[in-house]
Protein backbone atom coordinates (compact mmCIF):
# COMPACT_ATOMS: atom_id res chain seq x y z
CA UNK A 1 0.00 0.00 0.00
CA UNK A 2 1.20 3.48 -0.86
CA UNK A 3 1.94 5.46 2.34
CA UNK A 4 0.90 8.72 0.64
CA UNK A 5 -2.50 7.21 -0.25
CA UNK A 6 -2.91 6.03 3.33
CA UNK A 7 -2.10 9.48 4.71
CA UNK A 8 -4.43 11.20 2.23
CA UNK A 9 -7.24 8.85 3.23
CA UNK A 10 -6.52 9.30 6.93
CA UNK A 11 -6.47 13.11 6.81
CA UNK A 12 -9.45 13.23 4.49
CA UNK A 13 -11.45 11.00 6.82
CA UNK A 14 -10.48 12.95 9.92
CA UNK A 15 -11.29 16.33 8.40
CA UNK A 16 -14.47 15.05 6.78
CA UNK A 17 -15.82 13.59 10.01
CA UNK A 18 -15.28 16.96 11.72
CA UNK A 19 -17.09 18.79 8.92
CA UNK A 20 -13.92 20.56 7.76
CA UNK A 21 -13.89 19.56 4.10
CA UNK A 22 -11.81 16.43 3.91
CA UNK A 23 -12.80 16.06 0.28
CA UNK A 24 -10.37 18.82 -0.67
CA UNK A 25 -7.47 16.72 0.65
CA UNK A 26 -8.69 13.63 -1.17
CA UNK A 27 -9.28 15.42 -4.49
CA UNK A 28 -5.84 17.08 -4.34
CA UNK A 29 -4.23 13.68 -3.74
CA UNK A 30 -6.21 12.02 -6.53
CA UNK A 31 -5.51 14.84 -8.99
CA UNK A 32 -1.77 15.18 -8.45
CA UNK A 33 -0.57 11.80 -7.22
CA UNK A 34 -3.06 9.17 -8.42
CA UNK A 35 -3.37 10.49 -11.98
CA UNK A 36 -7.16 10.30 -12.10
CA UNK A 37 -9.51 12.52 -14.07
CA UNK A 38 -11.69 15.18 -12.46
CA UNK A 39 -14.89 13.23 -12.99
CA UNK A 40 -13.40 10.10 -11.36
CA UNK A 41 -11.98 12.22 -8.52
CA UNK A 42 -15.36 13.64 -7.65
CA UNK A 43 -17.00 10.21 -7.80
CA UNK A 44 -14.34 8.65 -5.57
CA UNK A 45 -14.66 11.58 -3.18
CA UNK A 46 -18.42 11.09 -2.92
CA UNK A 47 -18.06 7.35 -2.32
CA UNK A 48 -15.38 8.00 0.31
CA UNK A 49 -17.65 10.48 2.07
CA UNK A 50 -20.59 8.09 2.62
CA UNK A 51 -19.14 5.89 5.41
CA UNK A 52 -17.50 8.89 7.07
CA UNK A 53 -20.80 10.79 7.05
CA UNK A 54 -22.69 7.82 8.48
CA UNK A 55 -20.16 7.38 11.28
CA UNK A 56 -20.13 11.13 12.06
CA UNK A 57 -23.96 11.24 12.10
CA UNK A 58 -24.07 8.35 14.58
CA UNK A 59 -21.64 10.15 16.90
CA UNK A 60 -23.42 13.51 16.61
CA UNK A 61 -26.85 11.89 17.12
CA UNK A 62 -25.55 10.04 20.17
CA UNK A 63 -24.42 13.39 21.60
CA UNK A 64 -27.81 14.97 20.72
CA UNK A 65 -26.24 17.51 18.38
CA UNK A 66 -28.54 16.89 15.41
CA UNK A 67 -31.89 18.63 14.97
CA UNK A 68 -33.70 16.08 12.82
CA UNK A 69 -36.60 18.46 11.98
CA UNK A 70 -34.08 20.67 10.18
CA UNK A 71 -31.80 17.94 8.82
CA UNK A 72 -34.40 15.82 7.02
CA UNK A 73 -35.58 18.53 4.56
CA UNK A 74 -31.97 19.56 3.92
CA UNK A 75 -30.98 15.92 3.27
CA UNK A 76 -33.87 15.46 0.83
CA UNK A 77 -32.87 18.64 -1.02
CA UNK A 78 -29.25 17.48 -1.08
CA UNK A 79 -30.20 14.12 -2.57
CA UNK A 80 -32.30 15.77 -5.26
CA UNK A 81 -29.45 18.19 -5.99
CA UNK A 82 -26.96 15.32 -6.20
CA UNK A 83 -29.08 13.46 -8.75
CA UNK A 84 -29.49 16.60 -10.85
CA UNK A 85 -25.74 17.29 -10.47
CA UNK A 86 -24.86 13.83 -11.78
CA UNK A 87 -26.75 14.49 -14.99
CA UNK A 88 -25.37 18.02 -15.37
CA UNK A 89 -21.80 16.81 -14.73
CA UNK A 90 -22.19 14.18 -17.43
CA UNK A 91 -23.36 16.83 -19.88
CA UNK A 92 -20.66 19.37 -18.89
CA UNK A 93 -17.69 17.02 -19.23
CA UNK A 94 -14.51 16.61 -17.19
CA UNK A 95 -12.63 19.65 -18.54
CA UNK A 96 -15.41 22.11 -17.71
CA UNK A 97 -15.93 20.50 -14.30
CA UNK A 98 -12.23 20.90 -13.48
CA UNK A 99 -12.35 24.59 -14.42
CA UNK A 100 -15.55 25.21 -12.45
CA UNK A 101 -14.19 23.41 -9.40
CA UNK A 102 -10.92 25.34 -9.56
CA UNK A 103 -12.80 28.62 -9.90
CA UNK A 104 -15.03 27.72 -6.98
CA UNK A 105 -11.99 26.99 -4.79
CA UNK A 106 -10.42 30.31 -5.81
CA UNK A 107 -13.60 32.22 -4.93
CA UNK A 108 -13.77 30.49 -1.54
CA UNK A 109 -10.10 31.27 -0.91
CA UNK A 110 -10.56 34.97 -1.68
CA UNK A 111 -13.68 35.07 0.50
CA UNK A 112 -11.76 33.54 3.40
CA UNK A 113 -8.94 36.07 3.01
CA UNK A 114 -11.40 38.96 3.20
CA UNK A 115 -13.10 37.35 6.21
CA UNK A 116 -9.77 37.21 8.06
CA UNK A 117 -9.03 40.87 7.29
CA UNK A 118 -12.53 41.94 8.44
CA UNK A 119 -12.03 40.13 11.74
CA UNK A 120 -8.64 41.82 12.26
CA UNK A 121 -10.19 45.26 11.67
CA UNK A 122 -12.79 44.75 14.42
Amino acid sequence: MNILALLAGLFSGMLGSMGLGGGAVLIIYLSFFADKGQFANQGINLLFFIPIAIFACIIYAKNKQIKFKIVIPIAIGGLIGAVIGIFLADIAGAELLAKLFGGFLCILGVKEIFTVFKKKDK
Side-chain angles (χ1 to χ4, degrees):
M1 179 185 294
N2 183 347
I3 190 73
L4 189 58
L6 182 66
L7 290 173
L10 178 68
F11 287 128
S12 182
M14 288 171 35
L15 292 172
S17 64
M18 292 186 284
L20 299 174
V25 172
L26 187 60
I27 287 181
I28 289 169
Y29 166 76
L30 291 170
S31 296
F32 292 110
F33 300 105
D35 198 30
K36 301 282 184 197
Q38 182 69 26
F39 197 69
N41 293 347
Q42 289 175 330
I44 292 168
N45 183 48
L46 290 173
L47 287 175
F48 190 82
F49 175 74
I50 292 169
I52 295 168
I54 290 170
F55 183 72
C57 284
I58 291 169
I59 299 298
Y60 287 124
K62 180 181 172 190
N63 293 328
K64 296 182 176 40
Q65 295 177 324
I66 297 177
K67 296 179 181 178
F68 287 101
K69 289 181 181 179
I70 297 171
V71 169
I72 291 172
I74 292 172
I76 292 170
L79 288 171
I80 293 169
V83 170
I84 293 169
I86 288 169
F87 292 112
L88 291 176
D90 193 36
I91 293 168
E95 187 176 325
L96 179 60
L97 285 177
K99 290 177 183 177
L100 290 173
F101 186 70
F104 178 69
L105 288 179
C106 289
I107 291 168
L108 283 177
V110 170
K111 179 190 172 288
E112 289 301 314
I113 290 169
F114 283 115
T115 301
V116 168
F117 286 130
K118 283 183 182 177
K119 286 182 181 179
K120 283 186 178 182
D121 288 342
K122 289 183 180 180

